[in-house]
Amino acid sequence: MTNLDSVLAQVDANFDDSLKRLVTLVGFKSISTDPDYKEECQKAAEWIANELNGIGIDTRVHETPGHPMVVGHDSDTADKPGPHVLFYAHYDVQPVDPLELWDDDPFNAKVFEKDGVKMIFGRGSSDDKGQMLTFVEACRAYKEVHGSLPIAVSILFEGEEESGSPSLLPFLNAHKDELSKDLALVCDTTMFDPETPAITTMLRGLMGEEIIITAANRDLHSGAYGGPAANPIKILSRILADLHDDNGRVQIPGFYDGVEELAPDVKAQWDALPFDDAEFLRDVGLSIPAGETGYSVYEQLNARPTCEFNGITGGYTGSGFKTVIASQASAKISCRLVGKQDPDKIRENLRAFVEERLPADCSVDYIEHGSAPGHSLSADFPPLQKGAAALKDEWGKDTIMMGMGGSIPIVSEFKDILGMDSMLIGYALETDNIHSPNEKYNLESYHKGIRSWVRVLAALAE
Amino acid sequence: MTNLDSVLAQVDANFDDSLKRLVTLVGFKSISTDPDYKEECQKAAEWIANELNGIGIDTRVHETPGHPMVVGHDSDTADKPGPHVLFYAHYDVQPVDPLELWDDDPFNAKVFEKDGVKMIFGRGSSDDKGQMLTFVEACRAYKEVHGSLPIAVSILFEGEEESGSPSLLPFLNAHKDELSKDLALVCDTTMFDPETPAITTMLRGLMGEEIIITAANRDLHSGAYGGPAANPIKILSRILADLHDDNGRVQIPGFYDGVEELAPDVKAQWDALPFDDAEFLRDVGLSIPAGETGYSVYEQLNARPTCEFNGITGGYTGSGFKTVIASQASAKISCRLVGKQDPDKIRENLRAFVEERLPADCSVDYIEHGSAPGHSLSADFPPLQKGAAALKDEWGKDTIMMGMGGSIPIVSEFKDILGMDSMLIGYALETDNIHSPNEKYNLESYHKGIRSWVRVLAALAE
């Protein structure tokens, strides 16, 4: 047996024990949003720290104003080949309401079989306790077989991911030196489908802005003022209408600065994906892709920036009718960002765009609602190529370089504060019911997930 | 003394008694919206019916499901010259909240003097009890002097004008023969200013419509769907933005059918009015007329149709932010109509306008919110010329043919159901605080109002 094969064999041999540990971890009701479960969060953190210490990763539970951070470093990180990695996952879980929709106790994890597929049931089984333990169990197998890990490994486990991570930023800033490594490995994403491994290499960023147009100094009667009085709903509508052309292109000046077309090989891979545009839209009652023309739905979702209107309000919105001309109207706008788009520059240009269209006797106020740039790993980033090859070895299919329409804040925080890129590898499935009743994690996700990390660690050492 | 002069002298001689009667009428707390004041409405109706009977106008109080209608006919209407007129006013009043903003008891009417102007204080002193009694007292003076009125007069006093007139339509339909006369006289409007009499010859009509755009079959996450999923706020904004061109012209096909330019003499009169565009706008914090270019503010307000957006809502409108793509967005739209614009045709064309711009996978629902055509009296309508001349005789200034931006539903109902035009003459002022605390009616409005009706009745007989 090669070094690698012996570790994989150890994973297989120990899988029943790995499963027992996942059942134990799911048993902690570590619901981070609910203060009633504070002690359960603490217990979960201590349990996992104890496990890490047990396999030779020196680990401490750090108290925070919220739930603890678990930070560990392999006892032996000197003179290793490859990058020093910081593995990130979170031990907290979503609330379980409505409890009556669960088929069983969410915290009493059990293995069951459905349609010939074995799964482990329970809140957090997938998001993110199952995913977290794939890495821990991979490390355990290495340590058991070889007494050491192939590369230098540090660990950061958070307990507030499901409640907005209030303690994360201060913690990263306070522990910058300790946590700044060469590469973050994040295990909180999905495969492309149950057979096809994926690395999420693109995450869209976000720029949120609220625009409040004020016209008259009070609400007016449309009989007495309709016509000569400026109507803020009209002004706002015209601004919003101007924000896209007929091809769905965003018209904010400079909006596409830093947006790159897909690399040809990624484009070829995406075009070949079994992603059904019609089915994706049909599922939500639609049939016509509404994004930029010239891009597939999958590209529109994952690789193209957007400017979406998330809310609008003005005037009388109750039932019936009121012949009012409102003083104010407002809209909440968010731009999903990709590549090197600069959220601050886009906010500034959006404001200029609004003000250019504002009558001189009206005014505008803004409320900022967050900003984060997009994230993307270049297709020729060496760890990415190594990781993709390792996953292909395990799953027998090409690894998809996946995009994700939403944001994972940790990724930009690792980049901004710790100066590291993140490689997002996960084994969850869209069907895992994360954040919903009856969450599950396929046994195959767990078992082959552990094996996958064994291979990725070996590959990164090369 | 001429016939007319002796009646005017009688008005002057009896003015103190006329004032006492107004004080008595204001004393009834006839707030029609509030069921607690039902009996007060009944008493007001009975008091005014009694007054009319006392001067020889045979009057009955008709019960309705709401507050009573008061209907009277002069005992002597046969073989009179001129038109048979139906005089309309209302004896109900607005609520008085917030009571603490009143300087005195709203129902204990008192004469007071402010800046050298004598006024009568109290809820309804202007709207519409004071205005109502100008006509009753004019009839009284005629009867006292000559024993008869110069033309045939009937009366309709309503008690639900301030609460949407729910009983009016059925009542008009049920008493069509009794109430259909040659001309309605309505006393519920203002003068142009305290010195300048006016007849309101144009009222804008109204077509109200709610448009509800549905895109996806549920609210979507903008990270997971932003781009390819249709956004109903975007669709709605683009439709609203298309509804006006850059000159403020409404773009609904056929919208201007039936809209006529002002008659040259009315236009000349309006251009000469001491109406200050800048002051009108400054009062509400604006400075740039927002209606159709090429028309004065006064024309935009009174003689031009509009398409206003009275309310808009969609997506997340609370505080903070939610990255949602809404399933629905809706807008409440009202068109003020003038001349012969057809509300039904405009509604139909607006819907076609919306549907032309609706993506094929989205849908639209509508809620109708009323429709009434505009009203206008032709400048050469003989009673109008006679009325204007009579008012000029009393006030010493040319009578302004005024427009009013809003609607008075009674006018279109008289036209539709009873087949009569309405001539709107009133002596209220913009500063009367109708519908607000400290309502008042200038003694001059009341006194010269009575004298004005004496002259108008005489003029109509010619």
Side-chain angles (χ1 to χ4, degrees), chain A residues 147-207:
Chain A
S148 71
L149 299 177
I151 59 172
V153 168
S154 294
I155 296 280
L156 172 63
F157 291 158
E158 184 192 0
E160 299 180 319
E161 200 271 349
E162 303 293 4
S163 54
S165 299
S167 308
L168 188 67
L169 239 76
F171 190 81
L172 294 185
N173 276 308
H175 297 77
K176 206 184 276 195
D177 290 343
E178 183 183 353
L179 296 172
S180 294
K181 304 301 175 194
D182 301 315
L183 175 69
L185 299 176
V186 175
C187 193
D188 198 14
T189 50
T190 64
M191 312 237 294
F192 178 77
D193 66 26
E195 287 90 40
T196 316
I199 302 180
T200 300
T201 60
M202 284 177 231
L203 294 171
R204 292 195 293 188
L206 192 72
M207 190 286 298

Side-chain angles (χ1 to χ4, degrees), chain B residues 444-459:
Chain B
E444 188 173 68
S445 290
Y446 190 45
H447 188 175
K448 293 182 76 143
I450 300 170
R451 290 172 54 97
S452 292
W453 282 124
V454 167
R455 292 182 190 273
V456 171
L457 289 173

Side-chain angles (χ1 to χ4, degrees), chain A residues 253-266:
Chain A
F255 185 76
Y256 290 94
D257 291 355
V259 178
E260 282 174 13
E261 297 297 319
L262 280 185
D265 54 338
V266 175

